[in-house]
PDB file of all heavy atoms in Angstrom:
ATOM      1  N   GLU A 163     -43.400 -32.776 -63.257  1.00  0.00           N
ATOM      2  CA  GLU A 163     -44.604 -32.488 -62.459  1.00  0.00           C
ATOM      3  C   GLU A 163     -44.281 -31.529 -61.312  1.00  0.00           C
ATOM      4  O   GLU A 163     -44.537 -31.840 -60.158  1.00  0.00           O
ATOM      5  CB  GLU A 163     -45.168 -33.791 -61.875  1.00  0.00           C
ATOM      6  CG  GLU A 163     -45.431 -34.830 -62.925  1.00  0.00           C
ATOM      7  CD  GLU A 163     -46.898 -35.161 -63.072  1.00  0.00           C
ATOM      8  OE1 GLU A 163     -47.731 -34.484 -62.445  1.00  0.00           O
ATOM      9  OE2 GLU A 163     -47.215 -36.071 -63.848  1.00  0.00           O
ATOM     10  N   PRO A 164     -43.720 -30.360 -61.625  1.00  0.00           N
ATOM     11  CA  PRO A 164     -43.201 -29.523 -60.538  1.00  0.00           C
ATOM     12  C   PRO A 164     -44.305 -28.957 -59.665  1.00  0.00           C
ATOM     13  O   PRO A 164     -44.036 -28.547 -58.544  1.00  0.00           O
ATOM     14  CB  PRO A 164     -42.483 -28.399 -61.278  1.00  0.00           C
ATOM     15  CG  PRO A 164     -43.144 -28.344 -62.602  1.00  0.00           C
ATOM     16  CD  PRO A 164     -43.573 -29.726 -62.938  1.00  0.00           C
ATOM     17  N   LEU A 165     -45.534 -28.941 -60.129  1.00  0.00           N
ATOM     18  CA  LEU A 165     -46.579 -28.283 -59.351  1.00  0.00           C
ATOM     19  C   LEU A 165     -47.538 -29.272 -58.697  1.00  0.00           C
ATOM     20  O   LEU A 165     -48.424 -28.879 -57.950  1.00  0.00           O
ATOM     21  CB  LEU A 165     -47.384 -27.338 -60.259  1.00  0.00           C
ATOM     22  CG  LEU A 165     -46.549 -26.298 -61.008  1.00  0.00           C
ATOM     23  CD1 LEU A 165     -47.432 -25.446 -61.883  1.00  0.00           C
ATOM     24  CD2 LEU A 165     -45.763 -25.433 -60.041  1.00  0.00           C
ATOM     25  N   SER A 166     -47.339 -30.587 -58.959  1.00  0.00           N
ATOM     26  CA  SER A 166     -48.382 -31.533 -58.559  1.00  0.00           C
ATOM     27  C   SER A 166     -48.471 -31.741 -57.050  1.00  0.00           C
ATOM     28  O   SER A 166     -49.488 -32.172 -56.551  1.00  0.00           O
ATOM     29  CB  SER A 166     -48.162 -32.880 -59.249  1.00  0.00           C
ATOM     30  OG  SER A 166     -46.986 -33.475 -58.772  1.00  0.00           O
ATOM     31  N   ASN A 167     -47.389 -31.428 -56.300  1.00  0.00           N
ATOM     32  CA  ASN A 167     -47.437 -31.657 -54.854  1.00  0.00           C
ATOM     33  C   ASN A 167     -47.900 -30.426 -54.073  1.00  0.00           C
ATOM     34  O   ASN A 167     -47.795 -30.398 -52.860  1.00  0.00           O
ATOM     35  CB  ASN A 167     -46.067 -32.078 -54.324  1.00  0.00           C
ATOM     36  CG  ASN A 167     -45.779 -33.525 -54.632  1.00  0.00           C
ATOM     37  OD1 ASN A 167     -46.704 -34.275 -54.936  1.00  0.00           O
ATOM     38  ND2 ASN A 167     -44.531 -33.920 -54.569  1.00  0.00           N
ATOM     39  N   LEU A 168     -48.374 -29.402 -54.776  1.00  0.00           N
ATOM     40  CA  LEU A 168     -48.745 -28.165 -54.089  1.00  0.00           C
ATOM     41  C   LEU A 168     -50.256 -28.021 -54.041  1.00  0.00           C
ATOM     42  O   LEU A 168     -50.971 -28.609 -54.846  1.00  0.00           O
ATOM     43  CB  LEU A 168     -48.145 -26.975 -54.847  1.00  0.00           C
ATOM     44  CG  LEU A 168     -46.641 -27.038 -55.039  1.00  0.00           C
ATOM     45  CD1 LEU A 168     -46.182 -25.906 -55.942  1.00  0.00           C
ATOM     46  CD2 LEU A 168     -45.921 -26.962 -53.704  1.00  0.00           C
ATOM     47  N   ASP A 169     -50.732 -27.216 -53.092  1.00  0.00           N
ATOM     48  CA  ASP A 169     -52.181 -27.011 -53.049  1.00  0.00           C
ATOM     49  C   ASP A 169     -52.599 -26.025 -54.150  1.00  0.00           C
ATOM     50  O   ASP A 169     -51.764 -25.351 -54.757  1.00  0.00           O
ATOM     51  CB  ASP A 169     -52.643 -26.557 -51.658  1.00  0.00           C
ATOM     52  CG  ASP A 169     -52.064 -25.218 -51.272  1.00  0.00           C
ATOM     53  OD1 ASP A 169     -52.192 -24.267 -52.076  1.00  0.00           O
ATOM     54  OD2 ASP A 169     -51.474 -25.121 -50.185  1.00  0.00           O
ATOM     55  N   ALA A 170     -53.895 -25.960 -54.398  1.00  0.00           N
ATOM     56  CA  ALA A 170     -54.407 -25.290 -55.596  1.00  0.00           C
ATOM     57  C   ALA A 170     -53.953 -23.831 -55.696  1.00  0.00           C
ATOM     58  O   ALA A 170     -53.496 -23.387 -56.754  1.00  0.00           O
ATOM     59  CB  ALA A 170     -55.919 -25.385 -55.622  1.00  0.00           C
ATOM     60  N   ALA A 171     -54.051 -23.077 -54.578  1.00  0.00           N
ATOM     61  CA  ALA A 171     -53.728 -21.647 -54.625  1.00  0.00           C
ATOM     62  C   ALA A 171     -52.253 -21.441 -54.949  1.00  0.00           C
ATOM     63  O   ALA A 171     -51.882 -20.623 -55.792  1.00  0.00           O
ATOM     64  CB  ALA A 171     -54.079 -21.005 -53.291  1.00  0.00           C
ATOM     65  N   LEU A 172     -51.402 -22.236 -54.284  1.00  0.00           N
ATOM     66  CA  LEU A 172     -49.966 -22.123 -54.477  1.00  0.00           C
ATOM     67  C   LEU A 172     -49.589 -22.506 -55.899  1.00  0.00           C
ATOM     68  O   LEU A 172     -48.700 -21.912 -56.509  1.00  0.00           O
ATOM     69  CB  LEU A 172     -49.284 -23.052 -53.468  1.00  0.00           C
ATOM     70  CG  LEU A 172     -47.862 -22.700 -53.115  1.00  0.00           C
ATOM     71  CD1 LEU A 172     -47.796 -21.276 -52.604  1.00  0.00           C
ATOM     72  CD2 LEU A 172     -47.370 -23.661 -52.046  1.00  0.00           C
ATOM     73  N   ARG A 173     -50.281 -23.504 -56.420  1.00  0.00           N
ATOM     74  CA  ARG A 173     -50.005 -23.965 -57.766  1.00  0.00           C
ATOM     75  C   ARG A 173     -50.255 -22.840 -58.768  1.00  0.00           C
ATOM     76  O   ARG A 173     -49.473 -22.603 -59.673  1.00  0.00           O
ATOM     77  CB  ARG A 173     -50.912 -25.161 -58.062  1.00  0.00           C
ATOM     78  CG  ARG A 173     -50.476 -25.934 -59.266  1.00  0.00           C
ATOM     79  CD  ARG A 173     -51.433 -27.026 -59.571  1.00  0.00           C
ATOM     80  NE  ARG A 173     -51.762 -27.793 -58.361  1.00  0.00           N
ATOM     81  CZ  ARG A 173     -52.581 -28.819 -58.376  1.00  0.00           C
ATOM     82  NH1 ARG A 173     -53.150 -29.216 -59.492  1.00  0.00           N
ATOM     83  NH2 ARG A 173     -52.851 -29.471 -57.270  1.00  0.00           N
TER      84      ARG A 173
END
Side-chain angles (χ1 to χ4, degrees):
Chain A
E163 305 245 7
L165 305 179
S166 67
N167 282 343
L168 304 173
D169 63 52
L172 204 56
R173 195 184 312 180

